[in-house]
Amino acid sequence: MAKVAEKEKVQMVDIFIMDKHYQVPEGLTIQAALEYCGYNLIRSVGCRSGFCGACATIYCFKNDPQLRYALACQKAVEPDMYLTQIPFFPTAEALYNVEDLEPKEGENKLVELYPIILTCFGCNNCTKSCPQDLEVMEFMSAAIRGDYEKVYEKSFDCLMCGLCAARCPQGLQPYVMAMAGRRLRGAYLAPKSQHNLDRVKEIEEGRFDAEMEKLKQMPTDELREL
Amino acid sequence: MPYPASMEESKRKVEETRPKRLEKGLLSRIPAEEREALVNKFHPDYKKEQFRELRIGPSKGSRAPLEIADLLEGNSRIDPDRIDLDKVDFDVDVLVVGCGGAGGASALLAEENGANVLISSKLRLGDANTIGAQAGTQACDRPNDSPAIHYLDAMGGGHYVNVPELVEALVKDSPDVIKWLESLGVNWDKEPDNSYHELSGGGASRRRLHSCKDYTGLEEMRVIRDEIRQRNLHGKKVDWVEFEPAIELIMDDKGQVAGAILMDLETRRMTIVRAKAVVIAAGGMGRTHIQGFPTTNHYGATADGLVLAYRVGCPLVHMDTMQYHPTGAAFPPQILGFLVTEKVRTLGAEIVNGDGEQFVHPLEARDTEASAEIRECKERGKGVNTPTGEVGLWLDSPMIDILRGQGTVARELPAMVRQFGRFNIDMAKEPVLVYPTLHYQNGGIVIKADASTPVPGLFAAGECEGGVHGRNRLIGNSTLDLFVFGRRAGRAAAQWAKEVKLGKLTLDHVRKWQREIKEAGLEEMPVSPMLLPNYANQDRPVPGFQPLGQVSPYTPFGDRAIRWI
């Protein structure tokens, strides 16, 4: 470790992984810092670019016990950081068929599937814990009101890392509920695109088959000309 | 000020030239002959010393990158003489190796077609390159488009060496893939008139890129994953194991693929799966860091599927061509090599050099675009140097809001805005620095249009198969490939499982492989599949300690602290 630091004259930062002290070069992401300390990661690592939610991390500082939240692959280490990786979250998913999700007037499908969301008392811990900075409590309220469009809009950038569920005092799983909300919206409430349905039918009827056969047989020189 | 002073001056030049560039319009596209010459001279695929001929196996004599050749010629992780195949842990119809978009789609279609399905996932269910795909999925569903036009675009992009039957399948299934995903609950972007919001992309002559903002792959993957979970909850016959990759395929005494040996990554416990059909959907190779390039790829992208298939005698095609995405992040160092989606360019941003000058049309096919960037930096010296020793070019993202109205960047590119925003760069107002990054494996396992391979009982789908994209894949044809061939593989594997009669399970193919290695004098090669890269700093390991992952002998990481990714 020291060897690398000397060569590059990199400033070293003190961090604590599961309460154990390490020094790492300034500027590394939390994930890279773990590897720099010698961890060969199996859990808490995925796309390494902020899309999969596998590396959800809770951290605080030596003299500041306030919990903070991040994706380990996206957050650079800071002096005196105390790190805890959250490798796994059991999900308690409601049972549904997407075919049966079609919402009917006067029904709230999401409350039907997840009646427990009615116990939300608005502490806003979910929003505070979201590493994507989503307004989680807002889409929970939207679900309670049956506003599917808002659930879709407000939860769309969710990586399903599970930190909101980790911090909910009522044991709600906002990210799981929102998944059902988005699927319902995509399958039923989004307007149908007729041009796509028409094209699927045309292809099934074999409208393009002759043209495709011709192209498939065509020598490369002729293809280039087209 | 997010950019260091050393880069500020160059950034200012980009701002100064912007109004003139906007007025003048884009550079014209490079003519076909010049394009070939450019790619031949500058694309990493043409660096001869970075490739070698395979010395053993079904594609003996064909060329592969050094890093991939090592893995393909590697020794097995198992000793066949110490494994008792009579103790079967899972007995299923279809085993799916990998669970990204292609594996997920295969599992769903196999289950629908009556098979009992097990998925082996190396990391969590759905943790795959699919989830990081941003720009969209191509489908020729607009009235001014057709399968024929889509076909010609894909063939042209692939330098006309694509397998025609596979391209036909790709384009003809494409509108139905969009419809299918929507029926499962994928939220596609739509226009006010209810048609799909479709952009054009590099090498595509029509607008056919269907998107879900710039989280397209994430949306597709989480819906597929949720559907798998729901079917399992409903008692349907689809199940999975996580953190348990396949390390070797099992065959029967009739030469058919008949299952796999899995390994728990944490406990190293072995699991034996007997399966009437196996679908390999294990993705790409970015984490082998070919030629030392950083990569956009997922942690698990280590070419495992190629190794498994190669060892049971399945040939590979176009293994000497990789895709380098023209716009990987070059600054800040924390996100080096991460994908900056092509959608930034489809929305109107162009790439300019350190003096703010245009040098290439922003929507050339990816190999051409990447080659032009390398030329601009390496030959013409017009790149921008970063404090950590990288070089890059400016992707002038503020052009987007000027061309398409305030708020377009925020609306269309939330993931990108968030990624740069985390490092205090506002890409709606400031350009971002980019350079080519290792992105995609163009070639792979040989398949037919039904996703079957030349080895009986073995199917392949997604990035690990080859032939669909020729020598260069177009934007949005990868996520399409996942679902087209994933669904075909699921269907065909379920059908095969209904008809096949398995013989006695055997690992004789591994014994034979080990004899071949010995005869060719290759016993020193590393074991494979690689499973995971090894980025751990092990400068003082306990003697005899065997790390799980592997460090590439060609591009050792860790010589520079900042490249610790």
Side-chain angles (χ1 to χ4, degrees):
Chain A
M1 277 177 258
K3 206 167 60 191
V4 178
E6 273 162 27
K7 200 162 73 182
E8 296 283 326
K9 292 202 175 60
V10 176
Q11 194 69 36
M12 300 301 274
V13 173
D14 293 299
I15 61 165
F16 298 82
I17 301 169
M18 303 283 181
D19 205 21
K20 188 164 160 39
H21 176 233
Y22 294 91
Q23 281 198 322
V24 300
E26 182 184 55
L28 295 189
T29 61
I30 293 172
Q31 193 157 67
L34 290 168
E35 288 166 342
Y36 183 84
C37 295
Y39 288 81
N40 194 359
L41 301 176
I42 295 173
R43 301 252 176 179
S44 300
V45 57
C47 71
R48 303 179 74 100
S49 48
F51 285 85
C52 78
C55 62
T57 300
I58 296 184
Y59 67 95
C60 62
F61 291 97
K62 199 172 178 183
N63 295 315
D64 179 1
Q66 170 85 47
L67 296 182
R68 294 153 212 262
Y69 311 88
L71 299 173
C73 71
Q74 294 285 296
K75 173 85 186 160
V77 288
E78 291 171 25
D80 289 339
M81 228 179 202
Y82 270 72
L83 296 165
T84 310
Q85 305 297 114
I86 307 293
F88 166 71
F89 250 84
T91 50
E93 207 168 343
L95 191 65
Y96 58 82
N97 279 312
V98 77
E99 303 95 75
D100 306 331
L101 279 183
E102 186 161 9
K104 298 192 181 67
E105 198 61 36
E107 274 181 5
N108 185 336
K109 278 280 175 195
L110 295 174
V111 170
E112 233 173 78
L113 290 173
Y114 295 102
I116 193 174
I117 63 176
L118 295 174
T119 68
C120 170
F121 58 76
C123 72
N124 210 29
N125 267 330
C126 50
T127 301
K128 284 184 209 157
S129 68
C130 180
Q132 290 283 83
D133 298 323
L134 303 184
E135 291 162 314
V136 182
M137 199 178 76
E138 294 219 3
F139 69 70
M140 291 300 279
S141 321
I144 293 167
R145 291 196 306 275
D147 184 347
Y148 306 114
E149 194 63 24
K150 192 131 215 166
V151 172
Y152 152 74
E153 269 172 35
K154 291 274 173 187
S155 78
F156 189 77
D157 298 0
C158 171
L159 310 178
M160 308 191 72
C161 71
L163 279 172
C164 52
R167 295 295 289 150
C168 178
Q170 297 293 77
L172 311 186
Q173 299 196 313
Y175 73 110
V176 178
M177 182 283 301
M179 182 76 235
R182 285 193 305 272
R183 289 189 67 184
L184 179 161
R185 191 260 178 198
Y188 295 104
L189 301 178
K192 291 289 157 224
S193 302
Q194 194 56 43
H195 64 101
N196 172 276
L197 303 176
D198 293 346
R199 181 54 48 83
V200 171
K201 194 152 168 279
E202 287 169 0
I203 290 173
E204 277 169 7
E205 289 167 357
R207 180 91 61 93
F208 303 99
D209 289 0
E211 194 183 11
M212 290 301 298
E213 268 323 301
K214 210 174 123 199
L215 284 176
K216 270 163 52 189
Q217 307 303 332
M218 204 176 273
T220 303
D221 293 348
E222 285 176 44
L223 277 181
R224 277 182 205 275
E225 299 297 311
L226 292 177
Chain B
M1 196 171 65
Y3 288 109
S6 60
M7 294 168 67
E8 272 293 320
E9 196 191 326
S10 171
K11 192 188 102 184
R12 219 169 20 248
K13 286 184 190 161
V14 176
E15 283 157 2
E16 278 164 21
T17 60
R18 188 179 299 140
K20 272 219 179 93
R21 283 186 282 114
L22 280 163
E23 199 181 309
K24 180 171 157 252
L26 302 173
L27 286 188
S28 54
R29 300 211 186 214
I30 304 172
E33 321 81 65
E34 278 179 48
R35 209 176 67 190
E36 294 293 324
L38 174 70
V39 169
N40 276 324
K41 188 160 177 205
F42 292 99
H43 196 275
D45 278 357
Y46 294 84
K47 277 193 165 177
K48 287 200 179 65
E49 71 281 11
Q50 293 289 339
F51 294 80
R52 67 174 160 83
E53 283 185 6
L54 294 170
R55 291 169 287 188
I56 48 171
S59 295
K60 185 175 169 176
S62 67
R63 288 165 75 245
L66 300 174
E67 294 82 355
I68 301 291
D70 278 7
L71 294 173
L72 291 175
E73 293 173 350
N75 201 344
S76 175
R77 285 181 176 271
I78 59 159
D79 176 355
D81 294 333
R82 293 169 62 189
I83 290 175
D84 179 3
L85 292 178
D86 292 336
K87 290 180 185 160
V88 171
D89 299 279
F90 290 93
D91 197 353
V92 296
D93 296 324
V94 176
L95 171 69
V96 179
V97 177
C99 191
S106 300
L108 290 176
L109 266 289
E111 186 276 320
E112 278 168 30
N113 284 278
N116 179 356
V117 183
L118 180 72
I119 304 168
S120 148
S121 187
K122 182 159 62 181
L123 297 167
R124 303 180 311 171
L125 195 67
D127 276 1
N129 276 339
T130 305
I131 220 161
Q134 296 169 28
T137 299
Q138 283 206 35
C140 49
D141 62 6
R142 295 192 83 85
N144 71 347
D145 200 357
S146 76
I149 302 173
H150 192 173
Y151 179 93
L152 287 172
D153 286 346
M155 292 296 285
H159 300 262
Y160 301 97
V161 297
N162 323 42
V163 178
E165 286 70 26
L166 301 182
V167 186
E168 180 191 28
L170 183 81
V171 301
K172 277 172 77 176
D173 281 10
S174 66
D176 192 49
V177 159
I178 300 295
K179 182 183 159 199
W180 178 67
L181 288 169
E182 183 162 291
S183 75
L184 291 172
V186 165
N187 289 276
W188 297 113
D189 296 336
K190 305 239 171 164
E191 298 287 356
D193 69 356
N194 296 345
S195 68
Y196 287 116
H197 174 60
E198 297 177 41
L199 294 169
S200 81
S205 58
R206 294 288 186 277
R207 291 192 293 131
R208 67 169 82 92
L209 203 55
H210 299 61
S211 60
C212 315
K213 300 200 219 171
D214 57 352
Y215 282 114
T216 309
L218 171 68
E219 170 72 346
E220 291 168 341
M221 193 68 244
R222 65 192 173 190
V223 166
I224 297 274
R225 178 174 56 196
D226 194 57
E227 181 64 16
I228 293 169
R229 284 199 179 127
Q230 282 295 337
R231 289 193 193 178
N232 177 270
L233 283 173
H234 280 84
K236 292 183 179 169
K237 288 179 178 164
V238 55
D239 206 348
W240 60 88
V241 288
E242 294 183 323
F243 301 98
E244 229 178 294
I247 56 170
E248 205 67 72
L249 294 180
I250 299 170
M251 298 192 77
D252 72 0
D253 55 6
K254 302 177 194 167
Q256 306 173 123
V257 167
I261 296 171
L262 316 183
M263 183 180 80
D264 185 313
L265 284 180
E266 280 160 333
T267 63
R268 315 281 168 98
R269 188 184 182 281
M270 177 175 76
T271 297
I272 292 178
V273 183
R274 181 179 185 272
K276 291 175 183 156
V278 175
V279 178
I280 296 200
M285 52 65 241
R287 291 285 157 189
T288 61
H289 294 288
I290 290 171
Q291 299 188 29
F293 272 85
T295 183
T296 59
N297 280 195
H298 190 271
Y299 191 49
T302 52
D304 298 0
L306 299 179
V307 172
L308 296 176
Y310 198 64
R311 228 169 260 169
V312 294
C314 187
L316 309 174
V317 64
H318 299 150
M319 275 319 297
D320 56 344
T321 162
M322 300 295 155
Q323 182 164 85
Y324 297 82
H325 195 287
T327 55
F331 185 87
Q334 289 91 346
I335 60 170
L336 181 68
F338 289 11
L339 180 61
V340 180
T341 173
E342 185 165 328
K343 194 174 173 186
V344 179
R345 283 174 286 138
T346 67
L347 287 168
E350 67 177 339
I351 303 177
V352 294
N353 67 24
D355 292 327
E357 299 160 344
Q358 298 172 319
F359 63 92
V360 64
H361 187 286
L363 292 177
E364 295 284 359
R366 285 180 174 172
D367 53 353
T368 313
E369 191 85 13
S371 301
E373 289 175 42
I374 294 171
R375 177 178 65 187
E376 198 67 9
C377 293
K378 299 278 149 99
E379 189 179 74
R380 298 178 175 169
K382 291 272 200 174
V384 183
N385 294 311
T386 76
T388 53
E390 306 298 331
V391 64
L393 295 149
W394 294 107
L395 176 59
D396 195 9
S397 46
M399 291 169 71
I400 297 171
D401 278 5
I402 298 172
L403 289 165
R404 292 181 180 251
Q406 281 295 320
T408 309
V409 170
R411 186 178 66 248
E412 298 268 357
L413 300 163
M416 288 293 90
V417 169
R418 188 175 276 119
Q419 185 159 87
F420 284 100
R422 282 177 173 132
F423 301 96
N424 299 319
I425 294 170
D426 178 358
M427 70 183 293
K429 298 200 176 74
E430 298 168 288
V432 295
L433 202 72
V434 296
Y435 195 72
T437 177
L438 183 57
H439 188 52
Y440 188 82
Q441 168 190 301
N442 292 314
I445 300 167
V446 167
I447 57 165
K448 289 204 192 113
D450 65 353
S452 64
T453 73
V455 181
L458 187 66
F459 301 79
E463 190 172 347
C464 65
E465 36 82 347
V468 181
H469 309 291
R471 300 188 63 84
N472 176 55
R473 173 181 62 77
L474 296 186
I475 178 175
N477 273 351
S478 56
T479 47
L480 175 59
D481 177 338
L482 303 177
F483 302 115
V484 168
F485 292 98
R487 297 199 307 167
R488 284 169 176 250
R491 258 185 237 123
Q495 187 57 38
W496 172 268
K498 278 179 197 156
E499 292 159 11
V500 72
K501 290 270 175 292
L502 287 188
K504 189 175 163 38
L505 302 192
T506 171
L507 292 170
D508 277 349
H509 60 290
V510 180
R511 293 187 186 91
K512 183 168 160 265
W513 180 259
Q514 288 171 335
R515 276 199 304 276
E516 275 185 61
I517 288 177
K518 205 170 171 187
E519 281 159 19
L522 300 174
E523 284 157 304
E524 296 301 307
M525 298 306 281
V527 292
S528 57
M530 180 172 167
L531 303 178
L532 292 175
N534 187 353
Y535 298 145
N537 181 5
Q538 283 153 349
D539 57 351
R540 287 191 65 198
V542 174
F545 173 76
Q546 282 288 327
L548 179 70
Q550 287 169 14
V551 184
S552 164
Y554 305 102
T555 55
F557 275 73
D559 56 339
R560 280 191 303 159
I562 209 70
R563 261 202 133 165
W564 218 275
I565 56 158

